[in-house]
CSV table of all heavy atoms in Angstrom, one decimal:
chain,number,residue,atom,x,y,z
A,12,TYR,N,-48.2,-22.0,4.8
A,12,TYR,CA,-48.1,-21.4,3.5
A,12,TYR,C,-49.5,-20.9,3.0
A,12,TYR,O,-49.6,-19.7,2.6
A,12,TYR,CB,-47.6,-22.4,2.4
A,12,TYR,CG,-47.5,-21.9,1.0
A,12,TYR,CD1,-46.5,-21.0,0.6
A,12,TYR,CD2,-48.5,-22.2,0.1
A,12,TYR,CE1,-46.5,-20.5,-0.7
A,12,TYR,CE2,-48.5,-21.7,-1.2
A,12,TYR,CZ,-47.5,-20.8,-1.6
A,12,TYR,OH,-47.5,-20.3,-2.8
A,13,ALA,N,-50.5,-21.7,3.1
A,13,ALA,CA,-51.8,-21.3,2.7
A,13,ALA,C,-52.3,-20.2,3.6
A,13,ALA,O,-53.0,-19.2,3.1
A,13,ALA,CB,-52.8,-22.5,2.8
A,14,LEU,N,-52.0,-20.2,4.9
A,14,LEU,CA,-52.4,-19.1,5.8
A,14,LEU,C,-51.7,-17.8,5.4
A,14,LEU,O,-52.4,-16.7,5.4
A,14,LEU,CB,-52.0,-19.5,7.2
A,14,LEU,CG,-52.4,-18.4,8.3
A,14,LEU,CD1,-53.9,-18.3,8.4
A,14,LEU,CD2,-51.8,-18.8,9.6
A,15,ALA,N,-50.4,-17.9,5.0
A,15,ALA,CA,-49.7,-16.7,4.6
A,15,ALA,C,-50.3,-16.1,3.3
A,15,ALA,O,-50.4,-14.9,3.2
A,15,ALA,CB,-48.2,-17.0,4.5
A,16,VAL,N,-50.6,-17.0,2.4
A,16,VAL,CA,-51.1,-16.5,1.1
A,16,VAL,C,-52.4,-15.8,1.2
A,16,VAL,O,-52.7,-14.7,0.8
A,16,VAL,CB,-51.1,-17.7,0.1
A,16,VAL,CG1,-51.9,-17.2,-1.2
A,16,VAL,CG2,-49.7,-18.1,-0.3
A,17,HIS,N,-53.4,-16.5,1.9
A,17,HIS,CA,-54.7,-16.0,2.0
A,17,HIS,C,-54.9,-15.0,3.1
A,17,HIS,O,-55.8,-14.1,3.1
A,17,HIS,CB,-55.7,-17.2,2.2
A,17,HIS,CG,-55.9,-17.9,0.9
A,17,HIS,ND1,-56.9,-17.7,0.1
A,17,HIS,CD2,-55.1,-18.9,0.4
A,17,HIS,CE1,-56.8,-18.5,-1.0
A,17,HIS,NE2,-55.7,-19.3,-0.8
A,18,GLY,N,-53.9,-15.0,4.1
A,18,GLY,CA,-53.9,-13.9,5.1
A,18,GLY,C,-53.1,-12.7,4.6
A,18,GLY,O,-53.0,-11.7,5.3
A,19,LYS,N,-52.5,-12.8,3.4
A,19,LYS,CA,-51.8,-11.7,2.8
A,19,LYS,C,-50.7,-11.2,3.7
A,19,LYS,O,-50.5,-10.0,3.9
A,19,LYS,CB,-52.7,-10.6,2.3
A,19,LYS,CG,-53.7,-11.1,1.3
A,19,LYS,CD,-54.6,-10.0,0.7
A,19,LYS,CE,-55.6,-10.5,-0.3
A,19,LYS,NZ,-56.4,-9.4,-0.9
A,20,MET,N,-49.9,-12.1,4.3
A,20,MET,CA,-48.9,-11.7,5.2
A,20,MET,C,-47.5,-12.3,4.8
A,20,MET,O,-47.4,-13.3,4.1
A,20,MET,CB,-49.2,-12.3,6.6
A,20,MET,CG,-49.1,-13.8,6.7
A,20,MET,SD,-49.5,-14.4,8.4
A,20,MET,CE,-51.3,-14.2,8.4
A,21,ASN,N,-46.5,-11.6,5.2
A,21,ASN,CA,-45.1,-12.1,5.1
A,21,ASN,C,-44.9,-12.8,6.4
A,21,ASN,O,-44.9,-12.2,7.5
A,21,ASN,CB,-44.2,-10.9,4.9
A,21,ASN,CG,-42.8,-11.3,4.5
A,21,ASN,OD1,-41.9,-10.9,5.2
A,21,ASN,ND2,-42.7,-12.0,3.4
A,22,LEU,N,-44.6,-14.1,6.4
A,22,LEU,CA,-44.6,-14.9,7.6
A,22,LEU,C,-43.3,-15.7,7.6
A,22,LEU,O,-42.9,-16.4,6.7
A,22,LEU,CB,-45.8,-15.9,7.6
A,22,LEU,CG,-45.8,-16.9,8.7
A,22,LEU,CD1,-45.9,-16.3,10.1
A,22,LEU,CD2,-47.0,-17.9,8.5
A,23,HIS,N,-42.5,-15.5,8.7
A,23,HIS,CA,-41.2,-16.1,8.9
A,23,HIS,C,-41.3,-17.0,10.2
A,23,HIS,O,-41.6,-16.4,11.2
A,23,HIS,CB,-40.1,-15.1,9.0
A,23,HIS,CG,-39.8,-14.4,7.8
A,23,HIS,ND1,-38.6,-14.4,7.1
A,23,HIS,CD2,-40.5,-13.5,7.0
A,23,HIS,CE1,-38.6,-13.6,6.1
A,23,HIS,NE2,-39.8,-13.1,6.0
A,24,VAL,N,-41.1,-18.3,10.0
A,24,VAL,CA,-41.2,-19.2,11.1
A,24,VAL,C,-39.9,-20.0,11.2
A,24,VAL,O,-39.6,-20.7,10.3
A,24,VAL,CB,-42.4,-20.2,11.0
A,24,VAL,CG1,-42.5,-21.1,12.2
A,24,VAL,CG2,-43.7,-19.4,10.8
A,25,THR,N,-39.2,-19.8,12.3
A,25,THR,CA,-37.9,-20.5,12.5
A,25,THR,C,-37.8,-21.2,13.8
A,25,THR,O,-38.0,-20.5,14.9
A,25,THR,CB,-36.7,-19.5,12.4
A,25,THR,OG1,-36.8,-18.7,11.2
A,25,THR,CG2,-35.4,-20.2,12.5
A,26,ASN,N,-37.7,-22.5,13.8
A,26,ASN,CA,-37.4,-23.2,15.1
A,26,ASN,C,-35.9,-23.2,15.3
A,26,ASN,O,-35.1,-23.7,14.5
A,26,ASN,CB,-37.9,-24.7,15.0
A,26,ASN,CG,-37.5,-25.5,16.2
A,26,ASN,OD1,-36.8,-26.4,16.1
A,26,ASN,ND2,-38.0,-25.0,17.4
A,27,LEU,N,-35.5,-22.5,16.4
A,27,LEU,CA,-34.1,-22.3,16.7
A,27,LEU,C,-33.5,-23.6,17.2
A,27,LEU,O,-32.3,-23.9,16.9
A,27,LEU,CB,-33.9,-21.1,17.6
A,27,LEU,CG,-34.5,-19.8,17.1
A,27,LEU,CD1,-34.4,-18.7,18.1
A,27,LEU,CD2,-33.7,-19.4,15.8
A,28,TYR,N,-34.2,-24.3,18.1
A,28,TYR,CA,-33.8,-25.6,18.5
A,28,TYR,C,-34.9,-26.3,19.3
A,28,TYR,O,-35.9,-25.7,19.6
A,28,TYR,CB,-32.6,-25.5,19.5
A,28,TYR,CG,-32.7,-24.4,20.5
A,28,TYR,CD1,-33.4,-24.6,21.7
A,28,TYR,CD2,-32.0,-23.2,20.4
A,28,TYR,CE1,-33.4,-23.6,22.7
A,28,TYR,CE2,-32.0,-22.2,21.3
A,28,TYR,CZ,-32.8,-22.4,22.5
A,28,TYR,OH,-32.8,-21.4,23.4
A,29,GLY,N,-34.7,-27.6,19.5
A,29,GLY,CA,-35.7,-28.4,20.1
A,29,GLY,C,-35.6,-29.8,19.6
A,29,GLY,O,-35.1,-30.1,18.5
A,30,THR,N,-36.1,-30.8,20.4
A,30,THR,CA,-36.0,-32.2,20.1
A,30,THR,C,-37.4,-32.9,20.1
A,30,THR,O,-37.6,-33.8,19.3
A,30,THR,CB,-35.1,-32.9,21.1
A,30,THR,OG1,-35.6,-32.8,22.4
A,30,THR,CG2,-33.7,-32.4,21.0
A,31,ASN,N,-38.3,-32.4,20.9
A,31,ASN,CA,-39.6,-33.0,20.9
A,31,ASN,C,-40.6,-32.4,19.9
A,31,ASN,O,-40.8,-31.2,20.0
A,31,ASN,CB,-40.2,-32.9,22.4
A,31,ASN,CG,-41.5,-33.6,22.5
A,31,ASN,OD1,-42.5,-33.1,22.0
A,31,ASN,ND2,-41.5,-34.7,23.2
A,32,ALA,N,-41.1,-33.1,19.0
A,32,ALA,CA,-41.9,-32.6,17.9
A,32,ALA,C,-43.1,-31.9,18.4
A,32,ALA,O,-43.5,-30.8,17.9
A,32,ALA,CB,-42.3,-33.7,16.9
A,33,HIS,N,-43.8,-32.5,19.4
A,33,HIS,CA,-45.0,-31.8,20.0
A,33,HIS,C,-44.6,-30.4,20.6
A,33,HIS,O,-45.3,-29.5,20.3
A,33,HIS,CB,-45.5,-32.7,21.2
A,33,HIS,CG,-46.8,-32.2,21.8
A,33,HIS,ND1,-47.9,-33.1,21.9
A,33,HIS,CD2,-47.2,-31.0,22.2
A,33,HIS,CE1,-48.9,-32.4,22.5
A,33,HIS,NE2,-48.4,-31.1,22.7
A,34,HIS,N,-43.5,-30.4,21.3
A,34,HIS,CA,-43.1,-29.1,21.8
A,34,HIS,C,-42.8,-28.1,20.7
A,34,HIS,O,-43.1,-26.9,20.8
A,34,HIS,CB,-41.9,-29.3,22.7
A,34,HIS,CG,-42.1,-30.1,23.9
A,34,HIS,ND1,-41.1,-30.6,24.7
A,34,HIS,CD2,-43.3,-30.5,24.5
A,34,HIS,CE1,-41.6,-31.3,25.7
A,34,HIS,NE2,-43.0,-31.2,25.6
A,35,ILE,N,-42.1,-28.5,19.7
A,35,ILE,CA,-41.7,-27.6,18.6
A,35,ILE,C,-43.0,-27.0,17.9
A,35,ILE,O,-43.1,-25.8,17.7
A,35,ILE,CB,-40.8,-28.3,17.5
A,35,ILE,CG1,-39.5,-28.7,18.2
A,35,ILE,CG2,-40.7,-27.5,16.3
A,35,ILE,CD1,-38.6,-29.6,17.3
A,36,VAL,N,-43.9,-27.9,17.6
A,36,VAL,CA,-45.1,-27.4,16.9
A,36,VAL,C,-45.9,-26.5,17.8
A,36,VAL,O,-46.5,-25.5,17.4
A,36,VAL,CB,-46.0,-28.6,16.4
A,36,VAL,CG1,-47.3,-28.1,15.7
A,36,VAL,CG2,-45.2,-29.5,15.4
A,37,GLU,N,-46.0,-26.9,19.1
A,37,GLU,CA,-46.7,-26.0,20.0
A,37,GLU,C,-46.1,-24.6,20.1
A,37,GLU,O,-46.8,-23.6,20.2
A,37,GLU,CB,-46.7,-26.7,21.4
A,37,GLU,CG,-47.6,-26.0,22.4
A,37,GLU,CD,-47.9,-26.8,23.6
A,37,GLU,OE1,-48.1,-28.1,23.5
A,37,GLU,OE2,-48.1,-26.2,24.7
A,38,SER,N,-44.8,-24.6,20.1
A,38,SER,CA,-44.1,-23.3,20.2
A,38,SER,C,-44.4,-22.5,18.9
A,38,SER,O,-44.4,-21.2,19.0
A,38,SER,CB,-42.6,-23.5,20.4
A,38,SER,OG,-41.9,-24.0,19.3
A,39,VAL,N,-44.5,-23.2,17.8
A,39,VAL,CA,-44.9,-22.5,16.5
A,39,VAL,C,-46.3,-21.8,16.7
A,39,VAL,O,-46.4,-20.6,16.4
A,39,VAL,CB,-44.9,-23.4,15.3
A,39,VAL,CG1,-45.6,-22.8,14.1
A,39,VAL,CG2,-43.5,-23.9,15.0
A,40,PHE,N,-47.3,-22.5,17.2
A,40,PHE,CA,-48.6,-22.0,17.2
A,40,PHE,C,-48.8,-20.9,18.3
A,40,PHE,O,-49.5,-19.9,18.1
A,40,PHE,CB,-49.6,-23.1,17.4
A,40,PHE,CG,-50.0,-23.7,16.0
A,40,PHE,CD1,-49.3,-24.8,15.5
A,40,PHE,CD2,-51.1,-23.2,15.3
A,40,PHE,CE1,-49.6,-25.3,14.3
A,40,PHE,CE2,-51.4,-23.8,14.1
A,40,PHE,CZ,-50.7,-24.8,13.6
A,41,LYS,N,-48.1,-21.1,19.4
A,41,LYS,CA,-48.2,-20.1,20.5
A,41,LYS,C,-47.5,-18.8,20.0
A,41,LYS,O,-47.9,-17.7,20.2
A,41,LYS,CB,-47.5,-20.6,21.7
A,41,LYS,CG,-48.3,-21.6,22.5
A,41,LYS,CD,-47.5,-22.1,23.8
A,41,LYS,CE,-48.4,-23.0,24.6
A,41,LYS,NZ,-47.6,-23.5,25.8
A,42,GLY,N,-46.3,-19.0,19.3
A,42,GLY,CA,-45.6,-17.8,18.8
A,42,GLY,C,-46.4,-17.1,17.7
A,42,GLY,O,-46.4,-15.9,17.6
A,43,LEU,N,-47.1,-17.9,16.8
A,43,LEU,CA,-47.9,-17.3,15.8
A,43,LEU,C,-49.0,-16.5,16.4
A,43,LEU,O,-49.3,-15.4,16.0
A,43,LEU,CB,-48.5,-18.4,14.9
A,43,LEU,CG,-49.4,-18.0,13.8
A,43,LEU,CD1,-48.8,-17.1,12.8
A,43,LEU,CD2,-50.0,-19.3,13.1
A,44,GLY,N,-49.6,-17.0,17.5
A,44,GLY,CA,-50.7,-16.3,18.2
A,44,GLY,C,-50.2,-15.0,18.7
A,44,GLY,O,-50.9,-13.9,18.5
A,45,HIS,N,-49.1,-15.0,19.4
A,45,HIS,CA,-48.6,-13.7,20.0
A,45,HIS,C,-48.2,-12.7,18.9
A,45,HIS,O,-48.4,-11.5,19.0
A,45,HIS,CB,-47.4,-14.0,20.9
A,45,HIS,CG,-47.9,-14.5,22.3
A,45,HIS,ND1,-48.3,-13.6,23.3
A,45,HIS,CD2,-48.0,-15.7,22.8
A,45,HIS,CE1,-48.7,-14.3,24.3
A,45,HIS,NE2,-48.5,-15.6,24.1
A,46,ALA,N,-47.5,-13.2,17.8
A,46,ALA,CA,-47.1,-12.3,16.7
A,46,ALA,C,-48.3,-11.7,16.1
A,46,ALA,O,-48.4,-10.5,15.7
A,46,ALA,CB,-46.3,-13.1,15.7
A,47,LEU,N,-49.4,-12.5,15.9
A,47,LEU,CA,-50.6,-12.0,15.3
A,47,LEU,C,-51.3,-11.0,16.2
A,47,LEU,O,-51.8,-9.9,15.8
A,47,LEU,CB,-51.6,-13.1,15.0
A,47,LEU,CG,-51.4,-13.9,13.7
A,47,LEU,CD1,-52.3,-15.1,13.6
A,47,LEU,CD2,-51.7,-12.9,12.5
A,48,ARG,N,-51.3,-11.2,17.5
A,48,ARG,CA,-51.9,-10.3,18.5
A,48,ARG,C,-51.2,-8.9,18.3
A,48,ARG,O,-51.9,-7.9,18.3
A,48,ARG,CB,-51.7,-10.8,19.9
A,48,ARG,CG,-52.2,-9.9,21.0
A,48,ARG,CD,-51.7,-10.3,22.3
A,48,ARG,NE,-52.3,-11.5,22.9
A,48,ARG,CZ,-53.3,-11.5,23.7
A,48,ARG,NH1,-53.8,-10.4,24.1
A,48,ARG,NH2,-53.8,-12.7,24.1
A,49,GLN,N,-49.9,-8.9,18.2
A,49,GLN,CA,-49.2,-7.6,18.1
A,49,GLN,C,-49.5,-7.0,16.7
A,49,GLN,O,-49.7,-5.8,16.7
A,49,GLN,CB,-47.6,-7.9,18.1
A,49,GLN,CG,-47.1,-8.4,19.5
A,49,GLN,CD,-45.7,-8.8,19.4
A,49,GLN,OE1,-44.9,-8.4,18.5
A,49,GLN,NE2,-45.3,-9.7,20.3
A,50,ALA,N,-49.5,-7.8,15.7
A,50,ALA,CA,-49.6,-7.2,14.3
A,50,ALA,C,-51.0,-6.6,14.1
A,50,ALA,O,-51.1,-5.6,13.4
A,50,ALA,CB,-49.3,-8.3,13.3
A,51,VAL,N,-52.1,-7.2,14.6
A,51,VAL,CA,-53.4,-6.7,14.3
A,51,VAL,C,-53.9,-5.7,15.3
A,51,VAL,O,-54.9,-5.0,15.1
A,51,VAL,CB,-54.5,-7.9,14.4
A,51,VAL,CG1,-54.1,-9.0,13.4
A,51,VAL,CG2,-54.7,-8.4,15.8
A,52,ALA,N,-53.1,-5.4,16.4
A,52,ALA,CA,-53.5,-4.4,17.4
A,52,ALA,C,-53.5,-3.0,16.8
A,52,ALA,O,-52.7,-2.7,16.0
A,52,ALA,CB,-52.5,-4.5,18.6
A,53,ILE,N,-54.5,-2.3,17.2
A,53,ILE,CA,-54.7,-0.9,16.7
A,53,ILE,C,-54.0,0.0,17.7
A,53,ILE,O,-54.6,0.3,18.8
A,53,ILE,CB,-56.2,-0.5,16.5
A,53,ILE,CG1,-56.8,-1.4,15.5
A,53,ILE,CG2,-56.3,0.9,16.1
A,53,ILE,CD1,-58.3,-1.2,15.3
A,54,GLU,N,-52.9,0.5,17.3
A,54,GLU,CA,-52.1,1.4,18.2
A,54,GLU,C,-51.6,2.7,17.5
A,54,GLU,O,-51.1,3.5,18.1
A,54,GLU,CB,-51.0,0.7,18.9
A,54,GLU,CG,-51.5,-0.4,19.8
A,54,GLU,CD,-50.3,-1.1,20.5
A,54,GLU,OE1,-49.2,-0.8,20.3
A,54,GLU,OE2,-50.6,-2.0,21.3
A,55,GLY,N,-51.8,2.7,16.2
A,55,GLY,CA,-51.3,3.8,15.4
A,55,GLY,C,-52.4,4.8,15.0
A,55,GLY,O,-53.5,4.8,15.7
A,56,ASN,N,-52.2,5.5,14.0
A,56,ASN,CA,-53.2,6.5,13.5
A,56,ASN,C,-54.3,5.7,12.9
A,56,ASN,O,-54.1,5.1,11.9
A,56,ASN,CB,-52.5,7.4,12.5
A,56,ASN,CG,-53.4,8.5,12.0
A,56,ASN,OD1,-54.7,8.5,12.2
A,56,ASN,ND2,-52.9,9.6,11.4
A,57,ALA,N,-55.5,5.8,13.5
A,57,ALA,CA,-56.7,5.1,13.0
A,57,ALA,C,-57.1,5.5,11.6
A,57,ALA,O,-58.0,4.9,11.0
A,57,ALA,CB,-57.8,5.1,14.0
A,58,ASP,N,-56.6,6.6,11.1
A,58,ASP,CA,-57.0,7.2,9.8
A,58,ASP,C,-56.0,6.8,8.7
A,58,ASP,O,-56.2,7.3,7.6
A,58,ASP,CB,-57.2,8.7,9.9
A,58,ASP,CG,-58.3,9.1,10.8
A,58,ASP,OD1,-59.4,8.4,10.8
A,58,ASP,OD2,-58.2,10.1,11.5
């Protein structure tokens, strides 16, 4: 929540399934990393 507010982002995080808490949280942070990589990449009109 604090990251979304101060990063000024609309952030949706949904765990679709899983039983091991370590695995679930790890999938959240790996997924967040890849989603951020896509979002911050410069591929459009730089102007």
Side-chain angles (χ1 to χ4, degrees):
Y12 176 78
L14 180 66
V16 169
H17 287 263
K19 298 183 179 180
M20 69 179 77
N21 193 235
L22 175 61
H23 293 240
V24 181
T25 305
N26 175 242
L27 300 173
Y28 45 80
T30 56
N31 182 288
H33 185 130
H34 295 165
I35 292 171
V36 178
E37 186 162 329
S38 68
V39 167
F40 276 87
K41 287 179 176 177
L43 178 62
H45 280 279
L47 276 171
R48 179 195 286 264
Q49 296 171 23
V51 305
I53 298 177
E54 295 182 358
N56 184 345
D58 295 322

